[in-house]
Amino acid sequence: MDLANFLIQLLNSVQYGLLLFMLAAGLTLIFGIMGVVNLAHGSFYMLGAYLAYSLSGLFGSLTAAVLGGAALAVLFGLALEWLLFRHFYHRDHLDQVLLTFGLIYVFEELRSILWGDDVHSVAVPKALDWSIPLTDTLSYPAYRLFMSAVCLVLALGLYLLISRTRLGMKIRAGAFNRDMAGALGINIKLIHAVVFALGVGLAAVAGMIAAPVSSVYPNMGSQVLIMCFVVVVIGGIGSVRGALISALLVGLVDTFGKVLLPSVASMLVYMLMAAVLLWKPQGLFKA
Amino acid sequence: MSTPKANLETLPRSVQVCLALGVLALAAFPFVGSDFYTQMVARMMIMGIFAMSLDLLLGVTGLVSLGHAAYFGIAGYALAFLTPQGEPVSLWWTLPVAVLASALAALVIGFFVVRTQGIYFIMVTMAFAQMVFYLFFDNKLLGGSDGLYINFKPEAKLFDLENKQVFYYFTLACLLAVYAFLRRLLWSPFGRALAGIRVNEHRMRAMGFGTFGYKLAAFTLAGALAGLAGYLWGAQSGFMNPELMGFHMSAHAIMMVILGGMGNFAGAVAGAFAFEYLLHLFKDLPAVGGFNIGKHWQLWMGLFIVLVVVFAPRGLLGLAQRLLARKEAHDA
């Protein structure tokens, strides 16, 4: 592998890792703060991708589609939290597993009724439809760099929100001790709704910006969900910093595995997970 | 919540009578039911074994495994590999080998997953099962995404499994044997230790129980019994594909256990029957106008699952138990 090729793979791994981070961050926040295991998180990613497909057709612009789609997804998350999830914060994990598994079926089938079972593609926006030449023969698509940038900005925003703002302080207090935070006058119900909608929004935006690269297809949600689980297990539950580092690690192992060891590539990330579990059963960063 | 009573570990006389009647009904079924339904009930019984094996983890030990289908699939695939293209293979050595393969996989994976707890355990079991899924899905040598055919049912010499009725009774015998074994196990010192781990693992450890070993043993045993179900499934359907070890299959098993009621094995079997029947029902729904209701069976199944979790969190036996409690209160 020469330097340019190596650079391309490196950029690809970072881009994949950051995308996984957007999903895993939402998942781990919802675990860490509400104690809810959400198997339907992958469905929000899928929802985002299909919204990007429909809305970009409607508006004729992916940017407008992403903004409109994000708003729709957040509203959808709020409605879902109010209707179902808020009744499950105190129920045991088994009930949460079943509820969210039932929801996967519902979402998958609604998707099939609304959008059909074909694979769709979403066009890369015109302004980003060019490549950066690396050598005479190799170049890197600008859209992928843009994806990484969007993920980075959102990751930074999430970090600042949680560690530097008043809302973030309340979120952390609620995660640390729900009852005590409630007694101190923090509106825990509102915080939960906000965090849930934030998680859904992040997953949907990830799906939307990934749509032009990965195309839009039926079981994209469950595939990405498993990867998120691996990321969260490696990073440690409830830790956003752990999710970032582990997502980048998984991105590296998966991307370079596919290039260097294609025959065992699909197993490599699981081997990484097993190794981490042997060494640290609680994940790299215990929250 | 997790007292023996709440799990109905000791079944009331009325439930025991129902179970005995149920076994009689199962034994008589091939004489009254059509071929199609006899095969369907045989498949329900196989799922009953699968659900019971998961109940050992879920209801008895309190371990929410979301990857149980992997062990179901491994034994089925083992049968597929052991059966040559053109002739049957002996039941007497392939069954133990297939079950051992599942047990071994459960032992190795269990070594990693049993160290984790709670939500972590759920995610790790699921991730490892997915690894097994991709191992078979991506690998042409292991059948790939198309799966493998099993052209002949295993040969038993003493009886002819190719005969559908004989296969039905063989499955029934397996179901009863597994039930009897697990009921016996539930009340053994080992079973009591597992129940203790469900209620309070820290206390069990403080009392000197090596809980890691107990949980790993339960995980391995559950994997082996899931393997028995998978072997029977492979023999009955003559076909194994990766979907059978996928995430949906694992979640179905959980649904079966919940639907029937956890921790006493009879509930798991009842839940498996109910779940399989519902699947059959939803898939058979007619088309109304241009809308094919049956084609979207997943939607009805999903809504049904959500409704059960919201309104009847402890399943059918949970409802029965609430009624029993009311009757007791009434009698007293």
Side-chain angles (χ1 to χ4, degrees):
Chain A
M1 191 185 286
D2 57 21
L3 189 65
N5 206 339
F6 175 80
L7 192 64
I8 286 178
Q9 298 308 334
L10 193 67
L11 286 169
N12 276 342
S13 6
V14 170
Q15 177 251 305
Y16 181 47
L18 285 171
L19 191 74
L20 278 179
F21 168 72
M22 298 244 300
L23 288 149
L27 197 67
T28 208
L29 270 180
I30 293 173
F31 283 144
I33 291 163
M34 284 105 106
V36 171
V37 55
N38 179 17
L39 300 187
H41 201 68
S43 301
F44 303 138
Y45 173 78
M46 179 184 78
L47 174 77
Y50 276 91
L51 279 178
Y53 165 69
S54 282
L55 294 181
S56 65
L58 198 65
F59 299 152
S61 133
L62 189 67
T63 322
V66 168
L67 293 176
L72 277 179
V74 166
L75 282 178
F76 179 68
L78 283 174
L80 207 60
E81 200 267 350
W82 184 76
L83 201 64
L84 281 172
F85 279 83
R86 71 191 168 111
H87 305 293
F88 280 79
Y89 296 146
H90 295 282
R91 300 270 287 268
D92 62 27
H93 297 331
L94 193 54
D95 291 347
Q96 299 166 353
V97 165
L98 279 175
L99 173 79
T100 50
F101 173 69
L103 287 179
I104 290 183
Y105 264 7
V106 173
F107 295 154
E108 276 290 327
E109 210 58 37
L110 288 178
R111 185 226 76 232
S112 163
I113 292 170
L114 287 173
W115 281 290
D117 295 327
D118 299 332
V119 177
H120 300 292
S121 58
V122 175
V124 172
K126 286 234 164 48
L128 291 163
D129 201 5
W130 45 278
S131 294
I132 300 158
L134 292 174
T135 61
D136 295 341
T137 49
L138 293 170
S139 60
Y140 197 76
Y143 183 75
R144 280 180 180 256
L145 277 186
F146 168 75
M147 267 175 86
S148 302
V150 170
C151 294
L152 263 181
V153 167
L154 284 171
L156 190 69
L158 188 68
Y159 169 76
L160 290 175
L161 175 78
I162 289 186
S163 63
R164 293 289 145 86
T165 65
R166 204 166 175 79
L167 177 66
M169 193 173 69
K170 289 178 180 173
I171 290 176
R172 280 179 287 137
F176 188 68
N177 189 333
R178 191 183 344 217
D179 297 331
M180 184 59 81
L184 289 172
I186 294 171
N187 188 345
I188 291 296
K189 280 186 182 156
L190 186 68
I191 298 276
H192 281 173
V194 167
V195 171
F196 192 83
L198 191 68
V200 173
L202 279 174
V205 170
M208 284 187 272
I209 60 171
V213 170
S214 76
S215 73
V216 182
Y217 56 97
N219 61 348
M220 59 191 305
S222 48
Q223 272 182 8
V224 94
L225 173 76
I226 313 275
M227 273 322 205
C228 283
F229 275 14
V230 172
V231 166
V232 171
V233 165
I234 292 176
I237 233 159
S239 164
V240 174
R241 185 175 50 145
L244 177 61
I245 290 168
S246 123
L248 290 172
L249 201 61
V250 167
L252 274 174
V253 169
D254 193 69
T255 308
F256 279 91
K258 278 187 180 127
V259 179
L260 299 173
L261 298 162
S263 54
V264 290
S266 57
M267 308 275 289
L268 278 179
V269 282
Y270 300 102
M271 290 183 200
L272 175 70
M273 180 182 76
V276 170
L277 280 174
L278 264 188
W279 176 39
K280 283 193 168 177
Q282 308 272 310
L284 294 177
F285 296 87
K286 196 180 155 192
Chain B
M1 193 89 173
S2 37
T3 57
K5 189 139 192 233
N7 273 38
L8 281 185
E9 278 183 342
T10 46
L11 296 168
R13 185 58 51 83
S14 52
V15 175
Q16 286 180 359
V17 171
C18 287
L19 286 181
L21 288 175
V23 171
L24 282 179
L26 281 178
F29 191 81
F31 294 106
V32 286
S34 66
D35 244 23
F36 173 78
Y37 280 104
T38 303
Q39 268 186 292
M40 191 171 116
V41 174
R43 197 175 59 230
M44 287 171 163
M45 293 194 288
I46 293 171
M47 286 301 149
I49 297 174
F50 183 38
M52 280 196 284
S53 76
L54 180 65
D55 197 18
L56 180 66
L57 298 177
L58 213 62
V60 176
T61 323
L63 297 172
V64 183
S65 170
L66 193 46
H68 208 50
Y71 316 107
F72 178 89
I74 285 171
Y77 267 103
L79 174 64
F81 292 131
L82 294 171
T83 307
Q85 279 287 314
E87 55 180 329
V89 71
S90 168
L91 171 81
W92 302 113
W93 68 269
T94 50
L95 180 61
V97 167
V99 168
L100 264 177
S102 284
L104 192 67
L107 180 70
V108 173
I109 293 176
F111 180 76
F112 293 96
V113 300
V114 159
R115 299 153 60 95
T116 64
Q117 281 175 337
I119 288 181
Y120 241 63
F121 184 83
I122 297 173
M123 293 195 297
V124 176
T125 46
M126 183 173 170
F128 273 113
Q130 208 62 18
M131 176 177 91
V132 175
F133 171 86
Y134 279 119
L135 182 68
F136 283 82
F137 189 87
D138 286 346
N139 221 317
K140 278 277 172 296
L141 280 175
L142 300 173
S145 53
D146 295 333
L148 293 171
Y149 285 93
I150 303 162
N151 296 324
F152 295 91
K153 290 200 169 45
E155 181 184 60
K157 289 274 191 288
L158 300 173
F159 39 86
D160 177 23
L161 287 179
E162 290 285 354
N163 181 324
K164 293 197 172 69
Q165 298 216 350
V166 174
F167 191 90
Y168 178 93
Y169 284 109
F170 180 69
T171 309
L172 178 61
C174 288
L175 179 82
L176 294 176
V178 170
Y179 179 74
F181 169 71
L182 286 173
R183 285 302 295 189
R184 177 71 194 78
L185 189 84
L186 184 62
W187 294 104
S188 70
F190 176 70
R192 293 296 81 201
L194 295 185
I197 289 172
R198 179 188 74 236
V199 177
N200 191 334
E201 190 180 346
H202 287 290
R203 197 176 295 170
M204 289 299 284
R205 214 176 298 144
M207 274 157 55
F209 284 90
T211 54
F212 175 80
Y214 277 92
K215 288 200 287 185
L216 185 57
F219 199 85
T220 309
L221 186 58
L225 292 175
L228 171 63
Y231 180 93
L232 289 172
W233 202 98
Q236 195 208 20
S237 68
F239 180 62
M240 286 306 292
N241 70 348
E243 297 301 320
L244 289 166
M245 37 198 359
F247 154 59
H248 286 267
M249 191 73 175
S250 295
H252 282 180
I254 293 189
M255 191 58 209
M256 288 170 190
V257 177
I258 297 296
L259 195 57
M262 295 191 287
N264 60 72
F265 306 116
V269 178
F273 275 68
F275 189 85
E276 285 289 313
Y277 184 70
L278 274 173
L279 273 184
H280 173 71
L281 210 65
F282 289 143
K283 283 181 185 173
D284 249 21
L285 287 170
V288 173
F291 189 70
N292 191 343
I293 304 182
K295 185 177 163 256
H296 298 293
W297 62 272
Q298 288 202 66
L299 183 59
W300 319 121
M301 200 71 218
L303 288 173
F304 174 78
I305 294 173
V306 170
L307 289 178
V308 166
V309 190
V310 172
F311 295 108
R314 285 293 158 259
L316 300 176
L317 272 189
L319 283 178
Q321 178 201 333
R322 235 184 281 169
L323 291 176
L324 283 172
R326 202 176 297 164
K327 186 167 160 275
E328 248 171 55
H330 185 75
D331 291 347

